[in-house]
Amino acid sequence: RVVLLHGRPIGNVICPKCMAEETARLEKVQRFEAKQADLDYQQLRKEQWAEICPPKYRQNEYDPDRLPAEAHRAKKEVLIWKPGEKTGLILIGPSRRGKTYLAWRLLERMWHEGKTVQAMTAAEYARRCKDAAGNHAESAFHRTMINAMILFIDDLGTTPWTEYVDGEFRDLVDARMSRFKPIIVATNLAGKDMPIHHTTVNRLKEICDVVKF
């Protein structure tokens, strides 16, 4: 509404009702934009997760009811696990009990909570260690493994490691332990049967909760 003084316009005055309506409209637009931004972010996270998680272990491509009976007891314990007094988790049991599948479900939950994840098999870790050493990039690789919020090593002990790789992993466990950064391990073997240094096994036992399948 235009206000006149001596017949001349001196500016616009918005009535209280119009101001309230405009404020409500702007707040509605802001809520919509925030919701859309959140949806876009969640979609981006889903797409990034699809690049990290192997297709075999994606939730929508695996029927959890097909888990063997032995895994159901451990399922809840794994899926609700959070770092506490223990900053790591060891899943131990025979093959085909669902250890890796449940580990990936746990990782997915942590990923959507905003955590960064590094995940690989023990054999892949050994290869990457050797590649880094061959390219004089040991420090960079070690930092990457340390800096990840969550580290998952699958099939620990299945593939024998060289003394060098074993030592690097022992240093990695110590570094993550001192920084209170979680490490998750899946293995078929009890500690005494693992073909890795007993000091490494003892370190893992010290910092990890154990779920048996």
Side-chain angles (χ1 to χ4, degrees), residues 74-95:
K75 177 181 176 181
K76 183 177 181 181
E77 193 174 350
V78 173
L79 295 183
I80 66 173
W81 182 83
K82 290 184 178 180
E85 183 178 344
K86 301 282 190 177
T87 56
L89 179 66
I90 298 177
L91 312 182
I92 183 170
S95 298

Side-chain angles (χ1 to χ4, degrees), residues 13-62:
V13 176
I14 301 177
C15 69
K17 180 180 178 182
C18 295
M19 183 178 294
E21 290 176 349
E22 179 64 10
T23 299
R25 186 188 71 81
L26 291 175
E27 288 176 349
K28 184 177 180 180
V29 169
Q30 289 173 348
R31 287 195 300 271
F32 173 80
E33 291 177 344
K35 183 178 180 180
Q36 188 60 47
D38 183 62
L39 289 173
D40 291 343
Y41 174 75
Q42 292 300 328
Q43 181 60 35
L44 175 63
R45 294 290 286 180
K46 287 180 180 179
E47 292 172 358
Q48 291 173 332
W49 177 250
E51 295 178 1
I52 295 172
C53 182
K56 180 180 179 180
Y57 300 116
R58 290 177 196 161
Q59 192 166 16
N60 61 352
E61 298 183 17
Y62 194 100

Side-chain angles (χ1 to χ4, degrees), residues 64-128:
D65 292 331
R66 293 174 57 191
L67 288 172
E70 297 86 349
H72 285 286
R73 177 188 54 79
K75 177 181 176 181
K76 183 177 181 181
E77 193 174 350
V78 173
L79 295 183
I80 66 173
W81 182 83
K82 290 184 178 180
E85 183 178 344
K86 301 282 190 177
T87 56
L89 179 66
I90 298 177
L91 312 182
I92 183 170
S95 298
R96 306 190 67 80
R97 290 289 179 90
K99 299 187 302 297
T100 302
Y101 170 74
L102 289 176
W104 277 105
R105 296 284 63 71
L106 173 60
L107 293 173
E108 182 178 30
R109 191 204 79 204
M110 292 177 161
W111 169 261
H112 288 299
E113 291 172 351
K115 306 290 194 302
T116 57
V117 172
Q118 280 284 344
M120 64 197 71
T121 64
E124 182 181 356
Y125 175 78
R127 286 195 299 271
R128 292 179 66 176

Side-chain angles (χ1 to χ4, degrees), residues 15 72 81 86 98 113 123 129 136 141 143 158 165 170 178 194 204 206 209:
C15 69
H72 285 286
W81 182 83
K86 301 282 190 177
E113 291 172 351
C129 268
H136 305 289
F141 175 65
R143 281 196 304 272
T158 302
V165 173
R170 186 160 59 252
S178 67
M194 287 188 189
L204 287 172
E206 181 180 343
D209 290 313

